[in-house]
Amino acid sequence: MVSKPRGTRDFDVYEMEKRRLVQAKMEDTFKRYGYKEIATPTIEHLELFELKSGDVIIDELYSFKDKGDRDLALRPELTAPVMRFYTEKLQMETKPLKFYYFGSCFRYDRPQEGRYREFWQMGCELIGPSNPEAIAELIALAYFSIKNTGLQDIRLCIGNLNLLKKSYLINDLPPASQAAIFRLLDKNDIDGMEQLLEQNHIESDNIIFFKEFLTSRSIDDIRSHFKRSTVAQDDIDHFDKILEFLDLFGVPTKDVIKMNIARGLDYYTGVVFEIEAPILGAEKQLCGGGSYTLVPLLGGREIPTAGFAIGFDRVMMALEKENYEFPFTSELIYVTSLDQDLDREVIKLVSQLRHVGFMVDFDLMNRTISKSLKYADKIGAQKAIILGRNEWDQGNVVVKDMQSGEQQEVKKEALESFLA
Ligand code: AMP
């Protein structure tokens, strides 16, 4: 027997129904914010990710040579591909551009609950504006696209890399140490960061000062940290406005500031944010995003860009853990007959109903009527149409409501409007 590759999953019909429901809800929210769908290939030139991704992603790349000796990779994420698409084809389009995508991603990671080698990301990219209302709208979209799926307990955290970089200490360190510190911050490894700072001969008073900055919980805390310098004034005002506008967009902003979000990727610039579902434990991060600079690295003209990616599988897991009741609405109609000699009439009726748009299935196994109805129940049919010789000759069929069990004779000519 051949089994599926490690870290991949099969989805049965019930899981797919749930996934499509949640996907549709998210897409609905994206569209309400004026975002439109785009798609890029599953494979890209390896170079795209080698140049543009963080170290972790590069370690986990699925890459290979094709028959023409080209180096290709399965995409580990979709921001770089979307920016490649923009740079190649869309630079002249009128701004702002608001794109959303949904696609599979591949990372050669150690598989565990919530961490797969094939997983799905749903995300948005905003190209053009970088003013506070644009960034606030993007964060609000990330928040509500998850919230509107029905998930109850989610936490939004917002940081700011400009402020982190300009904060007293980071600003004075060599770039390699800065990058290492960002990685440690991202892992919340404050002790490791402290050790590294000590190795860089940073005085302990300064380390304490920096650690205090990391615990800033409000704009006032941040302002007081920078009170000795004006280097960050514009960034603080920009950040302050984003929080104010987020409030206007309806997002709860109490305790959202978290200065140690670093996101680990070199191309992130200003505001960065994450959304978590605490119920998921270790793999609780649902979404990551922020402002970044990628287009110039890909050879395009400088332009503000920001976006986020939601781990779709984790949203599904969190909904399951919260015992979310998926609102299935089956419109399936099942046709069966009491008499073998009505088989042709069954096929004709099924075709006629399908033709006008109903979702219709019928007995393909020559089952007895009771077994046939049991099957109809199992596949979630909403109604069963039963053809019997006597009723048929009088111009009627029996329609059974599968939920209530109620049966009713309906005139053949009135059937379509009755079902509708
Ligand atoms: P990233 O592109 O690393 O910022 O990831 C964005 C989101 O994708 C994360 O917040 C996770 O929810 C999800 N994600 C990342 N890696 C995996 C994985 N290996 N399996 C499942 N979901 C993942």
Side-chain angles (χ1 to χ4, degrees):
M1 201 162 67
V2 182
S3 61
K4 61 186 158 43
R6 197 163 127 79
T8 65
R9 288 154 300 157
D10 296 315
F11 301 103
D12 65 24
V13 292
Y14 303 105
E15 287 166 303
M16 279 317 291
E17 208 169 338
K18 291 179 186 176
R19 287 172 74 89
R20 291 296 181 226
L21 249 163
V22 175
Q23 179 189 345
K25 280 196 178 170
M26 285 183 157
E27 291 185 342
D28 177 59
T29 309
F30 293 160
K31 286 176 192 159
R32 280 193 256 160
Y33 280 66
Y35 278 72
K36 295 194 171 143
E37 186 174 14
I38 58 166
T40 60
T42 314
I43 49 171
E44 293 277 355
H45 289 291
L46 174 62
E47 193 192 356
L48 177 68
F49 303 111
E50 278 184 337
L51 296 173
K52 321 315 169 205
S53 298
D55 300 350
V56 179
I57 287 187
I58 290 170
D59 287 347
E60 296 172 352
L61 268 182
Y62 269 95
S63 57
F64 58 96
K65 274 198 191 295
D66 73 2
K67 289 178 182 168
D69 210 31
R70 297 173 198 90
D71 287 308
L72 297 176
L74 297 179
R75 61 185 176 204
E77 49 98 23
L78 275 116
T79 299
V82 171
M83 289 304 123
R84 195 254 324 125
F85 180 21
Y86 168 76
T87 309
E88 227 178 306
K89 271 275 167 61
L90 307 168
Q91 289 195 76
M92 302 306 284
E93 301 277 316
T94 311
K95 312 294 182 302
L97 292 171
K98 291 174 151 187
F99 296 138
Y100 81 82
Y101 59 78
F102 180 56
S104 52
C105 299
F106 303 84
R107 295 184 193 176
Y108 196 83
D109 204 348
R110 201 163 48 82
Q112 53 187 292
E113 174 128 335
R115 199 164 275 281
Y116 310 101
R117 289 186 175 169
E118 183 189 28
F119 62 100
W120 275 259
Q121 280 190 349
M122 195 156 213
C124 289
E125 309 297 344
L126 172 67
I127 304 170
S130 62
N131 49 3
E133 46 274 54
I135 304 301
E137 187 198 37
L138 182 79
I139 300 174
L141 174 56
Y143 180 82
F144 284 117
S145 61
I146 295 175
K147 198 78 191 159
N148 291 349
T149 62
L151 201 60
Q152 298 293 318
D153 188 18
I154 59 171
R155 307 274 155 84
L156 167 68
C157 302
I158 310 176
N160 191 313
L161 292 187
N162 284 343
L163 290 174
L164 195 62
K165 284 175 191 161
K166 285 179 184 174
S167 69
Y168 189 60
L169 193 71
I170 293 271
N171 212 21
D172 296 336
L173 288 178
S177 304
Q178 279 194 28
I181 285 185
F182 272 33
R183 267 194 296 279
L184 292 168
L185 280 178
D186 222 30
K187 285 193 228 146
N188 221 351
D189 184 357
I190 303 295
D191 293 342
M193 179 203 72
E194 202 164 340
Q195 277 171 18
L196 190 73
L197 290 174
E198 281 164 4
Q199 283 160 20
N200 276 275
H201 312 293
I202 303 288
E203 287 169 25
S204 63
D205 275 1
N206 288 344
I207 296 177
I208 292 168
F209 189 60
F210 182 57
K211 277 169 70 180
E212 262 172 32
F213 170 71
L214 293 177
T215 61
S216 303
R217 286 284 166 268
S218 68
I219 291 288
D220 286 343
D221 291 347
I222 296 169
R223 282 197 202 283
S224 74
H225 180 83
F226 282 102
K227 66 176 176 287
R228 276 185 267 163
S229 85
T230 54
V231 288
Q233 202 52 56
D234 289 350
D235 291 307
I236 298 174
D237 291 344
H238 189 265
F239 199 33
D240 193 8
K241 282 215 184 91
I242 288 174
L243 295 171
E244 183 196 335
F245 293 151
L246 258 182
D247 216 44
L248 297 180
F249 278 115
V251 178
T253 52
K254 192 170 174 289
D255 296 330
V256 292
I257 293 181
K258 188 177 166 199
M259 292 316 295
N260 67 328
I261 301 179
R263 301 277 316 126
L265 296 186
D266 292 345
Y267 59 74
Y268 278 101
T269 50
V271 170
V272 280
F273 59 95
E274 291 175 349
I275 299 174
E276 298 174 348
I279 202 167
L280 290 182
E283 303 304 331
K284 65 186 173 190
Q285 199 187 310
L286 296 180
C287 170
S291 308
Y292 56 85
T293 306
L294 250 183
V295 177
L297 289 172
L298 296 167
R301 243 168 298 123
E302 182 107 33
I303 183 148
T305 42
F308 62 82
I310 295 171
F312 184 77
D313 309 274
R314 295 203 186 156
V315 173
M316 294 304 300
M317 282 173 63
L319 284 167
E320 296 280 6
K321 285 228 159 125
E322 283 191 357
N323 294 319
Y324 175 70
E325 297 229 359
F326 291 87
F328 293 122
T329 51
S330 169
E331 286 167 13
L332 187 67
I333 293 163
Y334 193 79
V335 184
T336 182
S337 75
L338 290 164
D339 301 277
Q340 279 263 314
D341 66 341
L342 285 171
D343 283 359
R344 283 183 176 73
E345 309 308 330
V346 168
I347 293 175
K348 274 196 264 175
L349 180 62
V350 166
S351 304
Q352 173 205 329
L353 292 175
R354 282 178 179 164
H355 194 69
V356 294
F358 289 101
M359 224 183 275
V360 192
D361 203 355
F362 71 108
D363 178 28
L364 293 175
M365 306 280 282
N366 291 323
R367 289 190 164 107
T368 61
I369 186 74
S370 70
K371 285 195 175 146
S372 198
L373 289 174
K374 251 190 206 145
Y375 175 76
D377 193 44
K378 185 161 168 18
I379 60 172
Q382 189 194 38
K383 290 193 170 70
I385 301 174
I386 304 161
L387 273 60
R389 178 46 72 192
N390 288 344
E391 293 86 2
W392 188 259
D393 287 345
Q394 286 161 20
N396 293 338
V397 294
V398 172
V399 178
K400 177 175 174 152
D401 184 308
M402 296 301 291
Q403 209 122 65
S404 67
E406 252 171 63
Q407 294 196 175
Q408 190 171 343
E409 268 188 44
V410 179
K411 282 244 158 299
K412 282 185 227 167
E413 312 84 68
L415 185 60
E416 281 178 25
S417 56
F418 179 83
L419 294 172

